[in-house]
Amino acid sequence: LHIDILTEAQGFGLGSHLMQVALNRLIQRGSIGVHLEMSPDTHRAFAFYQQLGFKLLEKHPDNQILGKSFA
């Protein structure tokens, strides 16, 4: 899973909307969960994903893995 929102387009709910559409589609297609990899330096993005229900699965010096179960 990967999304990018241009800085000037952030703060309008577009990221949340895109994520909800993607997550709902995954659920409709029978997925039991989703994961993503991100930089540990992007604290704002980490908070964003936490608000969507993602949990930290692994943390490494160069990356961290977050996941969300649909079960």
Side-chain angles (χ1 to χ4, degrees), residues 17 19 26 45 53 66:
H17 180 71
M19 286 298 295
L26 288 169
L66 283 70

Side-chain angles (χ1 to χ4, degrees), residues 1 6 11 19-20 24-26 37 39 42 48 59 62 66 70:
L1 177 66
L6 295 172
M19 286 298 295
Q20 287 305 321
N24 288 339
R25 185 69 176 136
L26 288 169
E37 178 181 350
S39 167
T42 54
F48 169 76
K59 187 166 186 162
D62 295 340
L66 283 70
F70 300 140

Side-chain angles (χ1 to χ4, degrees), residues 25-45:
R25 185 69 176 136
L26 288 169
I27 292 167
Q28 291 169 354
R29 302 277 289 171
S31 176
I32 60 168
V34 64
H35 73 276
L36 59 90
E37 178 181 350
M38 61 178 290
S39 167
D41 300 329
T42 54
H43 304 288
R44 187 173 173 202

